[in-house]
Amino acid sequence: MKFLQIIAVTTSFGVLAVPAVAQSAENTALSIDEAVAIALEAQPGTVAEAEPDQFEGRPVIDIEIVNDAGQEVEFKVDIETGQILNQWIDDDPSDDPITTNTLTDNTNAEPYVERSIPLDWALTAASAAQEACSDLGFATTVTVVDQRALPRVQLMREGAFPHTIHTSSRKAITAASRREATAVIEAENEHEPTLGAVFNEIGLITLSGGIPIVYEGEVIGGIGIAGSPGEDQTGKEFDDICAEAGIAAIADRLQ
């Protein structure tokens, strides 16, 4: 079916009416309204489209009607004879053009479903990360946020500096929101000094220690660690090491 601009359908069919007539050389052609009436007699429903077209070299009115079952039934009505030359059910409307009505009609819209980290997963990851930091001799704060960067779990070790509450939270939020490890962002910041100021302005951070939590290729949360000073002999930040230990604790569930 060729899709052109809808030219005319009468208001009795629930579509904007604009007078139009498709005429043959003998000026005996059906109007679009008359062709629509013929199609509606064959298939009652709601007119979605009506437009002039060609079918096997003959001028026709191309008509689409949505029946009570929600099916799109299409007709080609000969404008000279009034004969229905072709009629079929469009069982693949996915290639139909999107109209304003389609975009604004949410009657059949499906809810948008987002995956987010469950509380028990978040608690397991946070506990494992906190334990890893403790084994290294550091008093830290661990924060786990969900897919929307909202807090799920925050664990603060006795002796951790108060500022680690805010810093670990910002690391987790940055990882979940930006969908990449903050160590990567920190490396980028070395080449773009203004990035840190921009991130700080919107509540994010460019310090390592934040890692996104990914389930089946989709970010479902983020974990952030603050309070582990320095790095190991390979140059890896201890905050990152602890964060990775947290994710490793739930790795079997993330596969």
Side-chain angles (χ1 to χ4, degrees), residues 2-228:
K2 297 179 180 179
F3 293 100
L4 306 174
Q5 182 180 4
I6 298 177
I7 297 178
V9 180
T10 62
T11 54
S12 62
F13 304 132
V15 183
L16 179 66
V18 180
V21 175
Q23 293 183 327
S24 68
E26 296 77 22
N27 293 325
T28 59
L30 297 174
S31 69
I32 292 180
D33 295 346
E34 291 169 334
V36 167
I38 292 171
L40 282 171
E41 185 175 354
Q43 173 59 75
T46 302
V47 177
E49 288 187 5
E51 60 195 10
D53 199 1
Q54 292 285 324
F55 179 70
E56 296 181 350
R58 303 167 67 173
V60 298
I61 302 298
D62 212 347
I63 302 164
E64 181 179 301
I65 296 174
V66 180
N67 63 22
D68 292 340
Q71 297 172 309
E72 295 181 2
V73 184
E74 301 187 16
F75 294 86
K76 293 190 183 296
V77 179
D78 190 311
I79 64 174
E80 295 179 352
T81 65
Q83 179 185 3
I84 296 176
L85 301 179
N86 201 359
Q87 173 184 345
W88 74 97
I89 295 176
D90 183 1
D91 55 4
D92 183 18
S94 60
D95 58 352
D96 291 354
I98 299 177
T99 65
T100 301
N101 289 338
T102 302
L103 294 175
T104 58
D105 181 9
N106 293 321
T107 304
N108 298 318
E110 293 292 333
Y112 177 64
V113 179
E114 291 181 331
R115 289 173 169 172
S116 193
I117 185 168
L119 178 60
D120 61 331
W121 294 17
L123 182 57
T124 298
S127 298
Q130 186 65 267
E131 183 177 352
C133 287
S134 181
D135 290 345
L136 291 169
F138 304 127
T140 60
T141 298
V142 180
T143 302
V144 177
V145 300
D146 65 13
Q147 190 270 352
R148 286 288 174 182
L150 297 175
R152 294 296 280 158
V153 173
Q154 186 169 75
L155 301 179
M156 183 181 188
R157 176 72 64 180
E158 297 87 343
F161 291 116
H163 73 270
T164 59
I165 298 174
H166 185 54
T167 304
S168 68
S169 178
R170 290 177 67 184
K171 289 181 180 182
I173 290 170
T174 302
S177 179
R178 296 287 297 181
R179 289 161 170 72
E180 65 178 344
T182 57
V184 176
I185 298 172
E186 183 179 37
E188 294 171 348
N189 189 41
E190 295 178 359
H191 305 288
E192 184 55 60
T194 60
L195 184 63
V198 172
F199 269 44
N200 184 67
E201 185 69 22
I202 60 177
L204 303 182
I205 201 167
T206 57
L207 297 178
S208 62
I211 300 177
I213 301 172
V214 181
Y215 176 76
E216 293 185 350
E218 181 179 350
V219 173
I220 61 170
I223 185 170
I225 316 290
S228 303

